[in-house]
Amino acid sequence: MSAPALTSASLTGAFTPEAFAAHLKTVAHLPAWWLDRKQAAYDRFATAPMPKRTDESWRFATLTGLQLDGYARGGTVALPQLGHAPVGIAKAGRIVLANNRLVTHDAIAADFAARGVIFDTLQNALRRHGDLVKSHLLAQPAPQGSEKFAALHTAFLEDGAFLYVPRNVEIADPLAVFHYAHGAHSAVFPHTLVVAETGARVTLVDLFRSTDASRQFACGQNDLFASHGAEITYVAAQTWSRDTLSFQFNSTVARRDARVLSLNLHLGGRQARHESYSQLQAPGAHTEMLALTVARGRQEFDQRTLQIHQAPHTSSNLLYKNALLEQSKTIFSGLIVVDADAQKTDAYQSNRNLLLSDEAEANSLPGLEIQANDVRCTHGATSSPIDPEQEFYLQARGIRKAEADELLTFGFFEEVLSKLTNDQLHDALRELIRTQFKQ
Amino acid sequence: MSQLEIKDLHVSIDEKAIVNGLTLTVRSGEVHAIMGPNGTGKSTLAKAVAGHPSYTITSGDVLLDGKSILAMQPDERARAGLFLAFQYPSEIPGVSIANFLRAAVQARMGEGEELDATAYYKRLYSKMDMLKMDRKFTSRAINDGFSGGEKKRCEILQMAMLEPKFALMDETDSGLDIDALRIVADGVNALRSTNLGVVMITHYQRLLGYIVPDFVHVMWNGRIVKSGDKSLALELEAKGYDWVKKELAHA
Ligand SMILES: Nc1ncnc2c1ncn2[C@@H]1O[C@H](COP(=O)(O)OP(=O)(O)OP(=O)(O)O)[C@@H](O)[C@H]1O
Ligand SMILES: [Mg+2]
């Protein structure tokens, strides 16, 4: 133990034992089991090593960008300070959080509440529906390399959104959760938990936003649990500031005949790591895993996916599309695992990269691990520049090159966007993508 | 009155000379038909004039109203009033005709000017009606899964919307059925009466019955070797290109 102080500083960065103790005080009113879990998570975080160059799960990633120093809990924010812009979709309910605290909440309609739907902050849910939350909150591991950062999330998670949809309740309009980071050096820990019981149907949209261009830190988790025959549509639009270090972890559990569609739109951040862990646990389960990224400047987007087929007759379809401009970089590493008894699995995994610049770098590591013998699994990755004939065709109609490339990118993305059946949501995402091109 | 002048143009692809000193002047309202055997460089000429980056202009000039356009990007040439109706239009999955044409119309407007969406759709639908195109086409991706004839009709729709000064129409008649040919010809004739100048590349005399050319040129080995009026097209049809070849040998 020659230099313990130095070692611990590099392992925790700004998230020191003192910072954790201060955080615990702010959540002291929450159930003891939860505080115990947080303490255990902090200990795991503080002792786990930072990612190393030799870690396969961090291959291609810029490790120097991951250091955790210089962040702190941001101040309390009021709605007017957010410059909150609507997304232009009809919503069944809305929660706005900023710097880990509730700013405003539009409750779900009374008739849904009467039927047992819960759409509330995580803190309220922990206090009022402790047992329900306990069995699902952070119940899945983070097996793709980010154990340390997932533990950091659990340790510092202050508040988030909880959605519970009881048996056979269908909510047509999306529920929206806005997670804001406000102010320089703010660290946020967004959390969204969706539990859909047997036959329930629901759509939730997470929007990750920064109020300004400052340096920030985000470490979030969104977990989806779809019980028998349930249908969850989950959309996440990540537009953190261009100077944000972002981690986002997803776990999805699909039970018998459940269908989960998740679409992650990645636009913001300096360096953004996204891990998605999908489990198909019973026959008939289906997950649709979609992602769109527009990478610009020196942004780095690192996406790791794991789709595990644990039962026969399950299917999953993964389609991640990245458009890369300027000197940006993307990493896709995906693994399909088919357990020995998961016969008749139908799994698909595809990563497609559109290179709009010679200097951009797209890395792809698709993978399969199949133990059953009667399955259909396909995977593939492609990277290609804009088709010069298509570009010329558009230019020959008077459309400027930059605009032509934007149109072609939308054309490339449409295969994913068209999977959204809600037109307003489709248009809202298009609009967000458009702003990324305007910068 | 506008004028498109192609002056002693030489074009090569990958160091290989394809167009070898072609000269042609087109004025507003005129229709020039260019006929010539396969591989003689007709499409190369059209694409080079439109500014395709794979084609190198090694010498000569192309002037629009007296100003060279060779330093201009393809999109600038288009906004200056050139239109190329492609022999093989690109298929662009995921980009709808409506969004695409909107972007093309918007590109012609001034900075900060907003497109009037209602007026735009009204105009688009009236042009589609003229070309007897189903309105469902607007939400379809550009040429994606279109039949040969649908692609050609879509080219003419774009031309009608963008109102160029000069159109280079590369075998727009190929793949059209008789009815479609008449519809397209009516469309071109209507634009011609508003002073559109046309370079019409074709293999078939049939089209020239509907769009009567002011001049017919025969292209051979990358240059125009014979010019005349519409009767030249009839003569070609009757005698074939060997006739031109023999004449050339005698000259
Ligand atoms: N991109 C290219 N790369 C290589 N060769 C090319 C390319 N484009 C055209 N050529 C060649 O140039 C010559 C002229 O082609 P072009 O398409 O201009 O002929 P065309 O007169 O339009 O013929 P057609 O009547 O068959 O349409 C042909 O020999 C063709 O193979
Ligand atoms: Mg040709």
Side-chain angles (χ1 to χ4, degrees):
Chain A
M1 299 280 264
S2 50
L6 188 70
T7 310
S8 87
S10 62
L11 283 181
T12 60
F15 306 103
T16 58
E18 295 73 34
F20 180 61
H23 163 71
L24 275 185
K25 279 192 193 135
T26 68
V27 292
H29 55 288
L30 296 177
W33 65 263
W34 172 232
L35 301 182
D36 290 346
R37 275 207 212 168
K38 288 169 76 72
Q39 181 65 58
Y42 184 77
D43 296 343
R44 286 198 306 278
F45 159 71
T47 50
M50 288 290 277
K52 294 184 297 293
R53 182 55 31 236
T54 48
D55 293 342
E56 181 60 27
S57 57
W58 288 89
R59 212 168 144 201
F60 299 118
T62 305
L63 300 182
T64 49
L66 301 176
Q67 48 110 348
L68 301 170
D69 302 285
Y71 301 108
R73 181 179 189 243
T76 303
V77 190
L79 189 60
Q81 285 168 276
L82 294 178
H84 181 76
V87 273
I89 54 171
K91 291 181 283 290
R94 176 181 76 145
I95 289 176
V96 180
L97 299 131
N99 288 352
N100 309 314
R101 278 154 278 186
L102 178 68
V103 175
T104 183
H105 180 193
D106 302 338
I108 196 156
D111 57 326
F112 280 124
R115 292 167 72 190
V117 176
I118 303 166
F119 179 58
D120 208 336
T121 63
L122 190 60
Q123 289 210 357
N124 284 341
L126 276 163
R127 280 178 299 182
R128 294 173 195 157
H129 313 281
D131 290 343
L132 202 52
V133 177
K134 192 175 180 178
S135 53
H136 292 109
L137 180 63
L138 293 159
Q140 307 302 327
Q144 293 156 274
S146 282
E147 292 79 1
K148 182 181 179 74
F149 306 110
L152 175 64
H153 170 82
T154 305
F156 281 86
L157 168 56
E158 188 172 331
D159 207 352
F162 177 68
L163 171 64
Y164 175 80
V165 189
R167 176 181 280 263
N168 294 334
V169 175
E170 293 186 19
I171 306 174
D173 286 333
L175 293 141
V177 184
F178 294 83
H179 308 265
Y180 279 96
H182 178 72
H185 310 296
S186 291
V188 292
F189 300 90
H191 192 97
T192 299
L193 174 57
V194 179
V195 179
E197 292 289 13
T198 303
R201 271 179 118 169
V202 71
T203 298
L204 185 136
V205 186
D206 261 336
L207 297 114
F208 302 102
R209 294 176 167 182
S210 296
T211 54
D212 51 62
S214 59
R215 179 174 184 268
Q216 291 163 339
F217 176 77
C219 184
Q221 174 104 23
N222 64 279
D223 288 347
L224 312 174
F225 179 88
S227 195
H228 298 185
E231 240 182 89
I232 298 176
T233 302
Y234 172 80
V235 174
Q238 189 270 88
T239 56
W240 298 126
S241 82
R242 286 283 191 83
D243 199 10
T244 293
L245 170 62
S246 160
F247 296 94
Q248 182 71 26
F249 310 112
N250 154 259
S251 102
T252 297
V253 172
R255 291 280 170 85
R256 182 179 290 269
D257 297 327
R259 302 183 74 81
V260 180
L261 179 150
S262 54
L263 196 170
N264 288 281
L265 175 64
H266 304 286
L267 300 174
R270 162 176 58 80
Q271 183 168 351
R273 166 101 170 185
H274 190 271
E275 295 182 12
S276 178
Y277 174 45
S278 226
Q279 298 175 69
L280 297 112
Q281 295 190 334
H286 176 75
T287 58
E288 201 77 34
M289 308 160 75
L290 309 168
L292 296 175
T293 307
V294 181
R296 301 204 59 159
R298 298 193 169 275
Q299 283 182 303
E300 176 173 317
F301 292 93
D302 182 359
Q303 298 164 293
R304 313 271 163 164
T305 67
L306 181 54
Q307 12 185 171
I308 302 196
H309 291 259
Q310 297 159 331
H313 295 281
T314 52
S315 56
S316 65
N317 184 11
L318 180 147
L319 180 56
Y320 276 35
K321 289 194 162 189
N322 300 321
L324 295 91
L325 290 80
E326 294 148 358
Q327 295 88 37
S328 62
K329 175 173 166 180
T330 60
I331 303 157
F332 170 81
S333 170
L335 183 62
I336 297 175
V337 175
V338 181
D339 286 354
D341 58 349
Q343 301 296 3
K344 304 282 180 197
T345 283
D346 191 342
Y348 182 77
Q349 180 201 82
S350 168
N351 167 229
R352 310 233 171 272
N353 300 299
L354 181 65
L355 301 165
L356 292 116
S357 150
D358 299 337
E359 296 169 274
E361 177 190 328
N363 304 282
S364 250
L365 298 160
L368 291 176
E369 216 177 274
I370 302 174
Q371 267 131 45
N373 51 23
D374 184 15
V375 300
R376 229 182 68 191
C377 290
T378 40
H379 70 158
T382 56
S383 289
S384 48
I386 288 269
D387 178 339
E389 293 304 324
Q390 293 182 344
E391 188 180 57
F392 176 67
Y393 188 81
L394 297 180
Q395 282 190 278
R397 300 302 177 242
I399 299 169
R400 289 168 186 86
K401 187 180 180 310
E403 186 87 9
D405 290 355
E406 184 182 330
L407 269 177
L408 292 173
T409 305
F410 273 110
F412 172 66
F413 281 172
E414 190 54 32
E415 185 186 357
V416 169
L417 286 173
S418 66
K419 304 229 180 186
L420 290 176
T421 49
N422 181 320
D423 288 343
Q424 288 182 332
L425 208 46
H426 178 278
D427 292 350
L429 294 190
R430 277 187 76 103
E431 208 43 52
L432 286 175
I433 296 167
R434 198 166 289 133
T435 51
Q436 177 84 341
F437 273 95
K438 293 289 170 277
Q439 284 165 12
Chain B
M1 276 297 255
S2 278
Q3 185 163 289
L4 177 69
E5 289 168 89
I6 302 169
K7 284 183 161 171
D8 192 27
L9 197 70
H10 292 253
V11 183
S12 55
I13 310 160
D14 301 333
E15 318 272 291
K16 186 175 145 211
I18 308 285
V19 175
N20 303 302
L22 186 139
T23 297
L24 178 68
T25 299
V26 186
R27 291 176 195 82
S28 296
E30 288 178 356
V31 174
H32 292 246
I34 294 183
M35 306 184 84
N38 296 131
T40 205
K42 303 180 297 296
S43 295
T44 303
L45 169 72
K47 287 202 242 180
V49 170
H52 194 293
S54 308
Y55 299 78
T56 314
I57 293 180
T58 49
S59 71
D61 208 347
V62 181
L63 309 170
L64 182 60
D65 295 330
K67 272 183 279 181
S68 174
I69 61 166
L70 293 188
M72 292 161 80
Q73 292 299 307
D75 54 297
E76 293 176 80
R77 298 185 197 196
R79 293 196 301 276
L82 277 189
F83 184 90
L84 168 61
F86 287 78
Q87 181 177 6
Y88 303 110
S90 283
E91 300 186 5
I92 310 184
V95 181
S96 72
I97 301 273
N99 283 345
F100 157 56
L101 271 175
R102 210 182 150 131
V105 171
Q106 185 98 51
R108 284 163 174 75
M109 298 177 14
E111 188 106 15
E113 239 182 297
E114 274 295 318
L115 183 108
D116 176 348
T118 321
Y120 161 74
Y121 273 103
K122 209 175 145 200
R123 210 161 77 80
L124 178 60
Y125 289 149
S126 83
K127 304 289 183 196
M128 293 181 84
D129 290 349
M130 174 185 86
L131 293 166
K132 303 207 162 50
M133 284 177 81
D134 195 310
R135 288 184 186 182
K136 284 203 286 277
F137 271 95
T138 55
S139 58
R140 282 182 64 178
I142 305 169
N143 298 322
D144 191 19
F146 284 25
S147 76
E150 286 167 348
K151 283 181 186 169
K152 296 302 171 79
R153 229 186 277 205
C154 184
E155 293 292 292
I156 300 306
L157 172 67
Q158 294 167 44
M159 185 168 96
M161 283 299 285
L162 300 177
E163 298 177 340
K165 291 179 185 162
F166 293 97
L168 307 159
M169 300 175 60
D170 193 356
E171 297 197 27
T172 304
D173 54 330
S174 301
L176 290 180
D177 63 42
I178 307 279
D179 291 345
L181 186 67
R182 198 170 292 138
I183 290 163
V184 165
D186 287 347
V188 174
N189 285 329
L191 293 168
R192 184 186 187 178
S193 67
T194 63
N195 265 338
L196 174 74
V198 180
V199 175
M200 201 163 58
I201 295 166
T202 183
H203 288 296
Y204 305 105
Q205 151 63 24
R206 190 183 65 162
L207 174 69
L208 304 181
Y210 294 106
I211 305 173
V212 181
D214 300 293
F215 304 93
V216 174
H217 309 279
V218 179
M219 190 165 167
W220 188 280
N221 274 337
R223 65 172 71 90
I224 289 172
V225 293
K226 199 171 174 62
S227 296
D229 61 13
K230 60 181 181 190
S231 63
L232 177 57
L234 287 169
E235 207 171 349
L236 266 179
E237 185 107 323
K239 301 181 180 169
Y241 287 115
D242 274 348
W243 162 66
V244 182
K245 215 175 181 174
K246 276 183 202 128
E247 271 207 354
L248 276 178
H250 286 291

